[in-house]
Amino acid sequence: MLNVVPVALGARSYDVRIGTGLIDAMGREIGPLLQRRKVAVVTDETVASEHLMRLAKSLESEGIAMTALALPPGEGTKGWAQFTRCVEWLLEQKIERRDVVVAFGGGVVGDLVGFAAAVLRRGVRFVQIPTTLLAQVDSSVGGKTGINTGQGKNLVGAFHQPSLVLADIGVLATLPRRDLLSGYGEVVKYGLLGDSGFFDWLEKHGPQVVGGDASAQLHAVTRSVEMKAGIVSRDETEEGERALLNLGHTFCHALEKATGYSDRLLHGEGVAIGCALAFELSQRLGLCSQEAPSRVRAHLKAMGMKTDIADIPGDLPDAEALLRLMGQDKKVVDGRLRFILARDIGAAFVAEDVPPDTVRAVLTQALSGRQ
Ligand code: GLY
């Protein structure tokens, strides 16, 4: 089972290869990119203990030497300290401009290592091997790289496209169910933002996707990547259409900040809740029918996902404070609230100047659902 999705970006075009057994085929897959038979792999300790041996064997079978660095797992790694460690390690390994760096892990590893590759010797090539559903359908594709700082998430980074993405859906079987459901939040996002037929399909087959059915997973990852590849090739640096990929994210970022980027709310969970709120907001603004937000919430609930603010454990600030956190989001342009709203399922658009009072009303109602 192998699907190939091209990301068309002129001289920087690359393929996203999606299938089973790609980790074991890594040596053969990466071989054509190499000018010397050596790669530097950066991963995290969890992925290293589960999958690094297989990667090493595959490279060895093709006569490719591997050197590897395993960073601590978790969002806390995505900051200056581990970034510096990664860049210095790559220099110690004598990685040169013609070499290839491999980012082997979830979104944290992909973003950090991609950024390290972007700045190392003014830019070296890198390959993404995403090991979470979230990274396979979103963060490994499109070249957004970066780290978090004390001021917020992803505030320092670069656009740096990978040379190849290998999404081995076999690794999804090793993910905890909560991580898989969190990644599914990003999958649903694609149906909601631009493909109502895909959303219909997810309503029927979503349980198979998170239940481990390989052909359902292949379809879900491939369709998501196709949509992302299309958007990225039309708007690489987010001058317009790419912003649609942020559906649900303005609410999500405020909720993530309010919960301290902790285990209380995973990113994909926040995206799912944020998508439900974005549809609610669209309905309140008279942009879509009541049926659309009801359908979004019904699907998330049927999948056993966090759907409402009420599903987030622990205390949360009030609507006013959440609104203030949204005001700090980097998607705010000239202090105006910018949201991705929808006219229907599969019909999202960028809305500038959304009235804060309506957002406040949506948040107040959502918070009142909490006991
Ligand atoms: N994750 C949103 C983007 O890549 O633009």
Side-chain angles (χ1 to χ4, degrees):
M1 290 204 304
L2 178 72
N3 286 341
V4 181
V5 180
V7 183
L9 285 167
R12 287 169 296 105
S13 297
Y14 55 95
D15 284 342
V16 182
R17 296 170 71 80
I18 306 157
T20 45
L22 286 170
I23 291 179
D24 304 299
M26 162 73 175
R28 211 173 53 236
E29 294 282 350
I30 202 172
L33 294 177
L34 304 182
Q35 287 177 27
R36 61 172 171 159
R37 307 301 277 174
K38 173 182 175 175
V39 292
V41 176
V42 184
T43 184
D44 72 30
E45 286 151 10
T46 310
V47 173
S49 68
E50 295 203 30
H51 309 295
L52 189 61
M53 203 57 110
R54 281 168 57 206
L55 196 74
K57 268 198 191 136
S58 167
L59 290 165
E60 195 187 335
S61 71
E62 295 291 319
I64 301 166
M66 180 190 94
T67 171
L69 170 69
L71 302 172
E75 188 73 26
T77 287
K78 207 176 125 175
W80 288 114
Q82 296 297 333
F83 174 71
T84 306
R85 179 177 168 205
C86 176
V87 170
E88 287 182 353
W89 178 80
L90 289 168
L91 290 170
E92 279 158 20
Q93 302 307 306
K94 303 198 173 5
I95 296 304
E96 297 168 8
R97 290 231 30 208
R98 64 198 173 123
D99 289 329
V100 173
V101 174
V102 176
F104 185 34
V108 166
V109 165
D111 286 7
L112 181 144
V113 177
F115 185 36
V119 297
L120 189 79
R121 300 187 188 280
R122 298 198 179 89
V124 299
R125 291 169 302 153
F126 81 115
V127 169
Q128 290 266 22
I129 309 182
T131 57
T132 61
L133 180 57
L134 189 138
Q136 292 188 350
V137 298
D138 185 33
S139 57
S140 67
V141 180
K144 276 191 183 173
T145 72
I147 55 170
N148 307 327
T149 71
Q151 285 78 11
K153 272 184 80 168
N154 298 325
L155 292 179
V156 174
F159 284 101
H160 185 54
Q161 299 292 341
S163 300
L164 174 69
V165 181
L166 295 176
D168 186 337
I169 57 169
V171 299
L172 302 180
T174 62
L175 291 181
R177 187 170 173 82
R178 187 176 173 200
D179 284 351
L180 204 56
L181 280 178
S182 167
Y184 187 81
E186 295 277 5
V187 174
V188 174
K189 179 191 81 176
Y190 288 104
L192 295 178
L193 75 87
D195 186 348
S196 61
F198 184 43
F199 185 77
D200 295 344
W201 185 88
L202 290 171
E203 284 181 318
K204 289 193 192 76
H205 300 284
Q208 289 157 259
V209 175
V210 298
D213 179 309
S215 68
Q217 289 179 338
L218 184 69
H219 179 71
V221 175
T222 303
R223 184 64 199 126
S224 302
V225 170
E226 278 171 356
M227 290 189 67
K228 179 142 190 188
I231 291 172
V232 166
S233 54
R234 290 186 294 272
D235 178 23
E236 183 182 10
T237 54
E238 203 169 311
E239 307 300 319
E241 187 188 357
R242 186 164 181 167
L244 297 181
L245 296 171
N246 298 321
L247 177 63
H249 282 63
T250 306
F251 286 110
C252 170
H253 288 157
L255 293 169
E256 282 185 300
K257 270 186 213 160
T259 49
Y261 302 102
S262 68
D263 199 39
R264 283 172 64 197
L265 185 71
L266 303 181
H267 178 69
E269 294 173 337
V271 170
I273 295 172
C275 284
L277 289 170
F279 271 79
E280 192 60 44
L281 178 58
S282 304
Q283 194 270 325
R284 271 194 188 243
L285 291 167
L287 295 164
C288 70
S289 68
Q290 179 53 56
E291 197 205 335
S294 302
R295 231 179 119 192
V296 175
R297 295 185 66 254
H299 179 54
L300 300 178
K301 279 211 178 300
M303 293 296 296
M305 296 167 72
K306 286 194 172 69
T307 306
D308 298 305
I309 288 187
D311 298 328
I312 303 170
D315 292 335
L316 282 176
D318 62 13
E320 198 54 48
L322 285 175
L323 200 59
R324 261 200 308 279
L325 291 176
M326 283 176 190
Q328 290 162 16
D329 196 280
K330 70 180 184 306
K331 269 87 193 174
V332 172
V333 179
D334 296 335
R336 295 181 307 173
L337 276 182
R338 186 177 192 229
F339 275 85
I340 310 307
L341 298 178
R343 295 201 168 83
D344 202 347
I345 286 172
F349 66 100
V350 182
E352 311 283 352
D353 245 343
V354 174
D357 284 350
T358 318
V359 182
R360 193 181 291 108
V362 167
L363 288 169
T364 303
Q365 190 195 29
L367 287 160
S368 73
R370 292 169 60 82
Q371 298 306 313

